[in-house]
Amino acid sequence: MFLTGLIFLPIVFAAVVLLLPQSKVRVGSLLMAIVHFVYSLCLFQMFDKTTAALQLVEKHEWISFFGINYFVGIDGISFWLVLMTTFFAPIVILGSWHSIEKKEKTFHFALFLLQTFMLGTFLSIDSIMFYIFFEASLLPMYLMIGVWGGTRRIYAAMKFFIYTMAGSLLMLVAILALIFMTAEQLGAPSASMIDFYKLQIPFVAGEVLNPQTLMFLAFFIAFAIKVPMFPVHTWLPDAHVEAPTPGSVILAAIMLKMGTYGFMRFVIPLFPEATNYYGWFVMLLGVVGIVYGALVAMVQPDIKKLVAYSSVSHMGYVVLGLFALNIYGTTGALYQMLNHGVSTGALFLLVGIIYERTHTREIKSYGGLAAAMPIYTILFLIVTMSSIAVPGTNGFVGEFYILMGGFLKNKALGSIAALGVILGAAYMLWMVKKVFFGPEGEYVKGAKEGTYNEALKDVSLRETIVLAPLIILIFWMGIFPNHFLSWSQSSLDHLVKTQLDYELPIAQKAEQE
Amino acid sequence: MELGIYLQDISLTIPLMVLFVLSLLPVTVKIFSGNVEQKPLFTFLQAAFAVILTGVLIVLRNTTEVVYAFNNTIVFSPYIKLTTIILVLSTLFTLFLGYRSPSIPKNQYSEHVFLLLSALLGMLVLNYSNDLLITFIGIELLSLPLYVLVGLSGNSVVPKEASFKYFVLGSFASAFLLFGIAFIFGATQTTEITKILSASDQVDKNLLTIGIMAFLVGMFFKVALVPFHSWLPDVYQGSPTPMTAFMATTVKLVIFVFLLGFVDVIRLMDMNVALYTLQWVAILTMFLGNMVALKQSSLKRMLAYSSISHSGYLFVGLISAVLGTGEFSYQGILFYLLTYMFTIMGLFALMCVYEKKEGEDLNLDTLKGLAKDHPWLALAMSIFLLSLAGIPPTGGFFAKVFLFSSAIQVEQYWLVIWGMMSSAIAVYYYLKPVVYMYMKDKESSEIFVKNESVSTLSIVYLSVIMVLVLGVFSQPFLTRILKTLI
Amino acid sequence: MLELSNITLGHFILLSCVLFTIGMVGVLVRRNVIVILMSIELMLNAVNLAFVAFSRHHNLADGQVIVFFVMAIAAAEAAIGLAIAISVFRKFNGVEIRLFENLKG
């Protein structure tokens, strides 16, 4: 029952939000989000990290005709993603305390709905349920961007929605085909991933028109759009720029991970031969994403767009690691998914803080911020270090593993990726220099001359509390990665070692049903 | 062959006779009281009573097997029972929508009711038919009142033009139907469907294929498949909104249900030639419907084009039923029809709610900022639009899943992929009203005028609930449908 | 009776198709409303011809009975068509389709 409760509790919270009086909405939802997070911490008690099997499983019949069931479970791969989802909710609510001015109830309602859908995506073992949650999560995010976003928000929201949906419709076709395959090969139709893993999907190397390659392509395109990978990443900069700060944070921290999670759950274990055969191409696309993202980030005048492109770049690393198909790459990829959430989430929060004060994101209107807002500068620098992967921060651990894995698999791509690290440092540090150091821009001048007096206050207590957990995580994850990785290690080992013949057993512990 | 009237014949057709007699009631009362309308409530109650009584009579008839009557020209089976009930329900909903609707003139309400019930009678005849002649009679009995119903709306010219257009093209289609029936008769020497199926070995295949093709062309007109769709947008836009709802749901329903039953005959066609044509019709319909809908700013017209694209999806399901053996395609199509009926009924009911006076066209601009004033109605509209777009967790999503899986089962992968792609395109125009409702602000300070009609609002809420229920609890419906197919 | 053995089923069907096509073209091309209604009737009667021809060919009565039904229905259709035409063209002076301006797109 635990996982069902975890997934659907936010819906209850969403209903409660509608009933709260307007003045108490923010406090109420913050408290509920914290409760939800603490509830999810029970996972540490209940999860057995020594096994790669699926735990805390719940299965109920739903559409038995098709073999579609309500089937949830958790393993090492989804463990941290779930925790990250519940972790970010209170942070986002606290971070958006003042920035959401109209229709607050609706906003928090959408937020909690989004929580349910995201948790459902990570915890579903039935593929149709996964698809439903995957698609449904687009709706609240679409609303958030469209209602509370910037000037071109409607365009950005539509682009985001339709782009992602088109890809996932392809995935739906593949899922349906897989269900029919289970009916043929296993006797009864089933939509659960566990049964999919048992399928023998024919593969012919070199041809496109065989079942495995086609399905690989379908799933790959769907998740590639979500990650986002070059060249289907174009929705991301628009979506991020126009989204309100809380929307950006959740989009970057959690929703992008659905794509790479999909790779780990579907593409790699279900289509091992195709992955091995086409893996080098995916890695190439990943590297292109790294370099492209970095280069474009360097010429952005808008801070948020710069961070958006840095997301593309970072996710390129994750893809590189995943498709290296060795334990280093996979571990690094999972770790980097978490890192990216923390550091990019923090970056968006930081940008939001400054935006709230000045209502501009243009780099050239800033300059010399360090003198006016010293604490903010320190926080920003720490997060920058994490993003660049300076040793001591979480980013380093992830990227190191990935580069090792990538290099082992393909020396050329690995080297280019390593050079990409330099590019990453380049654009971030350049941005930091322009914004915080260097000649004073209009805002700082204005503050000094007294015209913009109110604008550049240093970070308030609330903002510090929002950023503090993230900063702590940056160092904790950087210095003691094993505290985090140990929980996922057995699942990751299992994935890499048995990739060609992947099966996911259900843990034999007595369930509560 | 014995010709006589048996008990069986009468008992099967009692619902039809009852419906016929009761449909005359309001008009008769009106005539005898010197052309003065009764209170609309009375007329409405009489009509509702007629429909409900018919429904009850049909439900009461116990069938576990297929029963024939009137010398094998009429058939009744559990499948027909189920589909007839859905039709009766749908007509009942239309009655609710039409009651006190501003677009239906008050002094012609009795006639409106009579024509609606006659159309229902035609649908029942169509559904019960086992002989192509009875089919033709049913279609005419359905269409003729409908032509008039479209035009029955007071002084405005637009509905009358729509009515005329509908009449011309509808009769054109009926002529094709008849042509098809003639050739089928020529090939198989009979018009009885069961006999056609059994005589299929010794017939002239070419003649039969031409006949079936012509027949199907006539049917394609009625559900507006490309390239026979040109009447639909104008007629849907011009007719009074309750009638548009009726056409979009019930007429489409009955034709597809009939085609579903007709599938065995369709299979007799020379598939090498015919399949290619059918596939192209499906693909073109899905695409054209969705592409043109993108440019529409009038909500009614947009829904008309979306209706065309949904006919396309249903047609994909029909092709799967033709190619496959499975009850699975039947389940898929029937479930889709059920979901579609509730969604469209609810959507048009919403449009009736906002219709201030007859002929006023709901535009996207008029929707701006609706969410603030009427949040629940805006939510209802969003749910309907999401269901049409096929976004989980609404019923429309599952309907599409089942429909497309039945197509995958017969390996029509290209149809499915095109279907998915056009669905993705469609999302854009389905979401546009949502955008206008939630994300744009009202321009004037006018409050949205709501037609406080209880009957219409109740249809809206009922439909919303059903759409969501069908999404989450689809299994019982599927099982029920499956039971009738054996 | 003249010797009719040279006129086969094919001839009748051909005639039926030709009449049908003429009617079809009439509906699609002509602008006068009355002519359109006439063309629809022509189509229906072309099919009647086909029915009778097939029925004779197979020596069945079925087709000829069907003709009666069709004629009755065609009459009803014509009545409704004329009624609708009257209601539309009450306002205009003529019966030309050109006058349909309101429904476009």
Side-chain angles (χ1 to χ4, degrees), chain A residues 214-409:
Chain A
L214 285 174
M215 288 198 231
F216 170 81
L217 272 177
F219 274 101
F220 176 71
I221 294 178
F223 294 131
I225 294 180
K226 194 82 180 177
V227 164
M229 282 176 69
F230 182 89
V232 286
H233 64 284
T234 51
W235 60 271
L236 187 72
D238 285 312
H240 264 140
V241 167
E242 302 299 332
T245 306
S248 285
V249 173
I250 295 197
L251 185 58
I254 308 171
M255 287 188 80
L256 298 186
K257 312 303 179 298
M258 287 191 206
T260 46
Y261 172 75
F263 280 140
M264 289 176 89
R265 267 276 186 254
F266 284 98
V267 176
I268 297 180
L270 274 180
F271 312 119
E273 291 97 5
T275 317
N276 278 313
Y277 190 74
Y278 296 108
W280 65 270
F281 183 65
V282 181
M283 279 172 56
L284 177 67
L285 279 182
V287 171
V288 169
I290 296 175
V291 175
Y292 176 79
L295 289 176
V296 177
M298 264 198 253
V299 296
Q300 292 304 317
D302 177 329
I303 300 189
K304 233 179 169 187
K305 225 171 190 175
L306 187 147
V307 178
Y309 278 106
S310 84
S311 263
V312 175
S313 194
H314 285 183
M315 295 310 275
Y317 280 107
V318 176
V319 171
L320 176 69
L322 273 182
F323 280 85
L325 296 175
N326 51 49
I327 187 63
Y328 302 113
T330 317
T331 313
L334 183 68
Y335 209 59
Q336 194 67 351
M337 295 202 307
L338 306 176
N339 296 340
H340 176 260
V342 171
S343 63
T344 311
L347 272 177
F348 277 115
L349 282 170
L350 287 164
V351 173
I353 290 177
I354 195 90
Y355 182 76
E356 249 175 80
R357 288 162 175 50
T358 62
H359 289 288
T360 175
R361 294 185 304 260
E362 300 264 328
I363 294 186
K364 57 182 194 289
S365 32
Y366 294 108
L369 225 47
M373 304 170 71
I375 305 186
Y376 178 76
T377 314
I378 298 178
L379 296 173
F380 203 103
L381 278 177
I382 296 178
V383 177
T384 307
M385 290 201 297
S386 162
S387 182
I388 300 178
V390 168
T393 64
N394 54 0
F396 173 69
V397 180
E399 250 171 54
F400 184 71
Y401 265 119
I402 289 178
L403 288 174
M404 207 152 77
F407 194 75
L408 273 177
K409 180 80 178 204

Side-chain angles (χ1 to χ4, degrees), chain C residues 65-96:
Chain C
V65 171
I66 291 181
V67 168
F68 282 109
F69 277 93
V70 173
M71 285 204 272
I73 293 182
E77 215 168 286
I80 293 204
L82 285 168
I84 295 180
I86 290 177
S87 83
V88 176
F89 292 96
R90 233 192 266 267
K91 311 228 167 139
F92 308 126
N93 261 333
V95 277
E96 310 274 310

Side-chain angles (χ1 to χ4, degrees), chain B residues 284-454:
Chain B
L284 285 176
T285 311
M286 292 191 284
F287 261 101
L288 193 131
N290 284 324
M291 299 295 266
V292 183
L294 286 174
K295 299 194 214 145
Q296 302 302 323
S297 59
S298 152
L299 208 55
K300 239 179 174 182
R301 230 176 149 79
M302 190 183 90
L303 285 174
Y305 280 106
S306 115
S307 179
I308 296 180
S309 65
H310 279 278
S311 288
Y313 300 138
L314 281 165
F315 193 60
V316 169
L318 197 66
I319 296 181
S320 328
V322 168
L323 289 177
T325 52
E327 312 104 4
F328 191 43
S329 349
Y330 282 73
Q331 278 183 314
I333 297 187
L334 282 174
F335 186 78
Y336 196 100
L337 284 170
L338 193 61
T339 318
Y340 185 72
M341 173 186 97
F342 278 111
T343 313
I344 293 284
M345 205 42 107
L347 204 49
F348 277 105
L350 262 176
M351 292 181 57
C352 285
V353 168
Y354 286 107
E355 214 171 21
K356 285 182 252 171
K357 52 184 198 296
E358 64 163 278
E360 179 148 308
D361 221 359
L362 253 192
N363 221 313
L364 277 181
D365 286 322
T366 50
L367 281 177
K368 277 191 195 166
L370 189 64
K372 214 177 209 162
D373 290 349
H374 297 154
W376 291 109
L377 285 179
L379 182 64
M381 185 172 258
S382 312
I383 292 183
F384 291 135
L385 289 168
L386 290 178
S387 177
L388 282 179
I391 296 180
T394 58
F397 165 69
F398 285 100
K400 281 221 170 82
V401 165
F402 296 145
L403 200 69
F404 284 124
S405 342
S406 68
I408 291 184
Q409 199 178 34
V410 295
E411 295 176 12
Q412 294 294 309
Y413 296 115
W414 277 116
L415 278 181
V416 174
I417 292 188
W418 284 117
M420 294 296 193
M421 286 300 108
S422 54
S423 283
I425 298 176
V427 171
Y428 178 69
Y429 66 80
Y430 285 127
L431 285 184
K432 262 211 283 200
V434 177
V435 168
Y436 275 78
M437 284 193 293
Y438 283 96
M439 301 177 195
K440 297 210 171 179
D441 295 315
K442 245 184 345 194
E443 276 160 7
S444 60
S445 56
E446 239 178 70
I447 312 179
F448 279 102
V449 175
K450 198 165 70 167
N451 189 355
E452 288 287 345
S453 157
V454 175

Side-chain angles (χ1 to χ4, degrees), chain B residues 147-160:
Chain B
Y147 302 147
V148 181
L149 276 172
V150 166
L152 203 69
S153 86
N155 285 323
S156 155
V157 177
V158 173
K160 307 217 190 313

Side-chain angles (χ1 to χ4, degrees), chain B residues 24-45:
Chain B
L24 289 173
L25 186 60
V27 190
T28 319
V29 171
K30 180 174 177 180
I31 292 178
F32 279 115
S33 65
N35 210 21
V36 173
E37 276 280 337
Q38 309 171 54
K39 279 221 168 82
L41 182 62
F42 291 161
T43 320
F44 170 69
L45 284 176

